[in-house]
Amino acid sequence: MLQNRHVPDSHCFIGEGKALEVKMLVEATASTMVIFDNELSPGNIRALEEIIGVTVLDRSALIMDIFAQRAKTKEGRLQVELAQYQYLLPRLSGMGRSLSRQGGGIGTRGPGETKLESDRRHIRERISRLESELEQVRQVRGVQRERRMKNSVPVVAIVGYTNAGKSTLLNQLTGAGIPANNRLFDTLDTTSRQLKVSDNLDVILSDTVGFISKLPHHLVDAFRATLEELQYADLLLHVIDAADPNREDHIAVVDKLISTLAKPGTPVIYCYNKADLVSKEEIPVGENVIAVSAAKGVNMDALLKKIEDTLGHARHRVTLRLPYSMGGTVDTLHSKAKVFSVDYTGEGIEIDAVLDDILYGRLRDKFGDNGIVSVVIGEISGDTLHIELWLMSCRVLKRDMELAMLDTLVAACRERNICNICGYYYQTAKNGMVRDLFGKFGFTKTEQFENGDSTWHLDVAGYSNQNHVIQVNEKEHQKA
């Protein structure tokens, strides 16, 4: 039943005439309850029940009743109970029939405490206890979140309108096996599972409570411990029911809540689920849009690829070779990167890891093209490389950086079966750094000239050094 009014009736919301019409419809259909798709005041509910003669529920009460039926875990029941008490507290004055005084007496509460005051006091105390318990839940989630951040594991949060297929998608991608039924608010508790997106990327995939238009504010407040996961998500997967005739309205509702709950700038992938039920023309095309069928497993590989493309641009797979003296860098990698393997060899510590942009940039600045550049120009004659020019540029040249340049040169020679490296030091070039390289790290002076110039020789086969620095993968190496 619909009604158009400029202003709701202050007494019974729809006016007494319409209320009597509802009463006639209730009697004709033998209904036992009337539900309003609006939020009613306590006085409205009381007046309507007196006129109609059956129980009256507003939108918030109905949603909370559904939530109460769906809540399975302790956290979910706590959140629903808190929302129910927050809904009930301001409505006590309109719901109570008996306001007789009770208690009283000397040394208690003076003239006595009314039933209304007693109920309010008990509800406030219960709300306070519930908020305290939920704060403990929030702290536990914070510890888990810190552990994920320490392990550098990105979080992908699944969001969307209720009954869009979020839990089905989680089951399809991770095999979580959580209930996924065709009904509203089937999932109240956050479920998180690890998802292997690719060889370079593992994520935590989290399913969240479904959204709905005109979501009661006290429900949002009560489920803050659950919804705050959106604030720490690295990517949002907005699941949309492609076959829903009201999908554009639902998208607007979810986008509005995302703008309120998620951190600004969080990337969003619009995942049109149930795409097998509509034509391709009904699904928009875009860089951050993909069509899938979670129930049938259609286009899951493409979804994983899009997740990787969105998150993977900030992640780099590298192989690091570090001297044993750089144990601090190894600890940093364990705490701030995803380490696949650590191998302690005779040449140093070899680490296979995935780094984020920040850590990758720090190591690159320290060891890579922003920290040191070495270019060798020479001529190969038989099994000997004659160095004609050795260009070096660095911000701060350290011993391990010098050795890194020499290691790279020796490795290149070994790949080409070059057994000897010969270099000529020009005193007039005043390049003491090259002279130190020749003199300190394995080169033998073969001839000294009167003008200060000298020639140097290195036996490639006999060269051994424990110091190494970053070696990026083949793709990054070609790019550099």
Side-chain angles (χ1 to χ4, degrees):
M1 180 177 290
L2 300 177
Q3 182 191 41
N4 292 321
R5 294 180 65 98
H6 295 294
V7 179
D9 183 76
S10 60
H11 177 57
C12 57
F13 194 74
I14 58 176
E16 291 191 15
K18 199 67 173 180
L20 291 172
E21 186 179 338
V22 173
K23 179 181 180 180
M24 294 172 60
L25 186 59
V26 166
E27 293 173 349
T29 57
S31 301
T32 58
M33 182 180 295
V34 175
I35 300 173
F36 282 73
D37 189 20
N38 301 88
E39 188 160 345
L40 304 178
S41 69
N44 292 153
I45 294 176
R46 185 174 179 180
L48 287 168
E49 288 182 345
E50 289 177 351
I51 296 173
I52 300 174
V54 296
T55 302
V56 174
L57 290 182
D58 64 358
R59 180 184 180 86
S60 296
L62 175 63
I63 292 175
M64 283 187 293
D65 279 355
I66 297 174
F67 272 45
Q69 295 174 25
R70 305 284 193 264
K72 303 299 181 184
T73 65
K74 179 182 178 182
E75 178 185 351
R77 290 193 293 268
L78 286 174
Q79 293 176 126
V80 172
E81 186 179 357
L82 176 60
Q84 288 175 324
Y85 278 127
Q86 289 175 334
Y87 172 82
L88 179 62
L89 182 60
R91 288 168 168 77
L92 285 178
S93 60
M95 299 173 65
R97 299 296 198 276
S98 173
L99 298 179
S100 60
R101 296 190 178 275
Q102 60 178 6
I106 298 176
T108 56
R109 299 178 186 84
E113 182 183 39
T114 66
K115 180 69 165 60
L116 177 63
E117 292 168 345
S118 175
D119 289 344
R120 282 177 173 168
R121 178 172 53 82
H122 286 301
I123 289 177
R124 289 193 183 101
E125 291 173 354
R126 182 58 182 162
I127 288 176
S128 178
R129 287 195 295 269
L130 290 171
E131 289 176 339
S132 177
E133 293 184 51
L134 285 174
E135 180 60 32
Q136 295 178 6
V137 172
R138 190 174 288 108
Q139 292 176 1
V140 171
R141 287 189 180 275
V143 172
Q144 296 172 343
R145 190 181 303 114
E146 288 178 3
R147 189 179 298 117
R148 292 198 300 263
M149 295 174 67
K150 181 179 179 180
N151 295 332
S152 189
V153 180
V155 176
V156 178
I158 303 177
V159 299
Y161 208 80
T162 182
N163 204 33
K166 299 182 296 299
S167 298
T168 304
L169 182 62
L170 179 72
N171 288 338
Q172 184 65 242
L173 291 174
T174 66
I178 62 174
N181 302 304
N182 185 20
R183 59 183 186 178
L184 302 178
F185 303 114
D186 193 55
T187 301
L188 290 187
D189 307 299
T190 298
T191 303
S192 299
R193 295 290 186 273
Q194 185 169 355
L195 172 63
K196 184 177 181 63
V197 177
S198 67
D199 292 338
N200 293 344
L201 181 61
D202 289 346
V203 302
I204 297 297
L205 190 63
S206 294
D207 185 17
T208 59
V209 62
F211 297 152
I212 194 170
S213 62
K214 296 187 288 186
L215 189 65
H217 66 87
H218 39 267
L219 277 177
V220 176
D221 293 340
F223 279 79
R224 183 69 62 180
T226 299
L227 295 175
E228 71 178 2
E229 289 294 321
L230 301 183
Q231 299 177 12
Y232 302 94
D234 300 283
L235 172 65
L236 299 178
L237 202 58
H238 181 176
V239 180
I240 301 162
D241 185 350
D244 193 320
N246 299 315
R247 73 181 190 189
E248 296 303 324
D249 294 335
H250 295 173
I251 292 173
V253 169
V254 177
D255 284 344
K256 182 178 180 180
L257 288 170
I258 286 176
S259 65
T260 303
L261 299 171
K263 62 184 177 184
T266 304
V268 180
I269 295 177
Y270 291 90
C271 181
Y272 283 80
N273 189 29
K274 309 178 187 180
D276 54 316
L277 303 180
V278 298
S279 62
K280 293 183 179 180
E281 292 75 18
E282 296 182 57
I283 298 177
V285 178
E287 183 179 355
N288 61 336
V289 175
I290 188 168
V292 303
S293 175
K296 296 183 179 180
V298 177
N299 224 17
M300 293 295 108
D301 291 341
L303 175 58
L304 293 177
K305 181 64 168 59
K306 192 167 287 290
I307 293 174
E308 182 181 21
D309 291 343
T310 306
L311 291 174
H313 69 280
R315 305 183 70 78
H316 308 268
R317 180 76 174 264
V318 298
T319 299
L320 305 169
R321 285 182 180 175
L322 302 173
Y324 286 98
S325 61
M326 298 183 65
T329 303
V330 178
D331 292 338
T332 300
L333 291 170
H334 276 293
S335 62
K336 295 185 178 181
K338 180 178 181 181
V339 177
F340 291 102
S341 65
V342 179
D343 189 16
Y344 294 88
T345 68
E347 296 180 337
I349 308 171
E350 185 168 318
I351 304 173
D352 183 16
V354 173
L355 315 180
D356 60 21
D357 255 351
I358 297 176
L359 184 57
Y360 180 80
R362 289 175 181 172
L363 291 179
R364 185 185 61 194
D365 288 346
K366 186 175 182 181
F367 302 122
D369 48 24
N370 286 339
I372 182 167
V373 176
S374 175
V375 179
V376 175
I377 300 176
E379 180 182 355
I380 299 175
S381 176
D383 62 352
T384 302
L385 169 64
H386 296 275
I387 298 176
E388 298 178 0
L389 182 64
W390 195 341
L391 301 176
M392 302 180 190
S393 172
C394 62
R395 292 176 180 174
V396 180
L397 188 66
K398 297 182 180 179
R399 179 183 175 87
D400 54 359
M401 292 183 180
E402 295 172 337
L403 290 168
M405 294 187 295
L406 188 57
D407 287 349
T408 303
L409 179 59
V410 170
C413 290
R414 287 173 175 168
E415 290 177 358
R416 294 163 177 78
N417 297 318
I418 296 174
C419 301
N420 304 285
I421 300 176
C422 293
Y424 192 97
Y425 169 67
Y426 294 91
Q427 176 68 26
T428 55
K430 297 181 180 180
N431 195 342
M433 182 175 64
V434 177
R435 180 189 60 209
D436 289 342
L437 276 174
F438 286 155
K440 293 180 180 179
F441 303 125
F443 279 80
T444 302
K445 184 188 296 185
T446 56
E447 190 172 359
Q448 178 73 49
F449 299 99
E450 292 183 359
N451 63 358
D453 295 354
S454 56
T455 58
W456 299 76
H457 171 264
L458 177 69
D459 179 11
V460 173
Y463 174 81
S464 177
N465 173 24
Q466 300 277 330
N467 296 270
H468 295 270
V469 293
I470 186 168
Q471 293 184 351
V472 300
N473 60 32
E474 184 64 20
K475 181 178 179 181
E476 293 292 330
H477 179 70
Q478 292 174 356
K479 180 180 178 182

